[in-house]
Amino acid sequence: MRPKWQQIADEITRRIERGNYPERFQLSEVRLAAEFGVNRDTMRKATKALRDSGLITTVPNMGTFVRAAEEQRDGGA
């Protein structure tokens, strides 16, 4: 069985692909952790995996956002 953080990252990826979380949508680790019933450490692992895959980006002092499709393809900021 896959680790919980990986299952969450997979679900968020599906939500992004389906358009549930549109481009530039702000993701809240606190809200997502509550929704998935996990602690923030588990949620941070999931968001790190999503950042590493290029689907989301974190802007210091602003938050974590879904990248625009062209940024996902090109790896832009």
Side-chain angles (χ1 to χ4, degrees):
M1 187 164 177
R2 294 164 65 88
K4 187 69 173 175
W5 65 265
Q6 199 165 27
Q7 294 174 41
I8 293 168
D10 292 345
E11 176 58 24
I12 293 172
T13 297
R14 284 190 290 276
R15 291 177 184 186
I16 291 169
E17 290 170 348
R18 287 192 308 248
N20 297 95
Y21 299 150
E23 294 179 357
R24 296 179 181 85
F25 180 81
Q26 186 170 9
L27 298 170
S28 166
E29 281 186 356
V30 173
R31 278 184 267 155
L32 288 169
E35 176 185 345
F36 287 103
V38 297
N39 63 39
R40 293 218 26 223
D41 185 53
T42 300
M43 198 65 238
R44 283 187 191 108
K45 288 178 183 176
T47 55
K48 181 185 181 317
L50 293 165
R51 268 193 309 278
D52 291 348
S53 73
L55 286 176
I56 66 172
T57 188
T58 300
V59 180
N61 301 314
M62 291 189 69
T64 301
F65 302 88
V66 175
R67 285 182 173 224
E70 64 273 5
E71 293 170 342
Q72 292 173 24
R73 284 191 303 272
D74 299 336

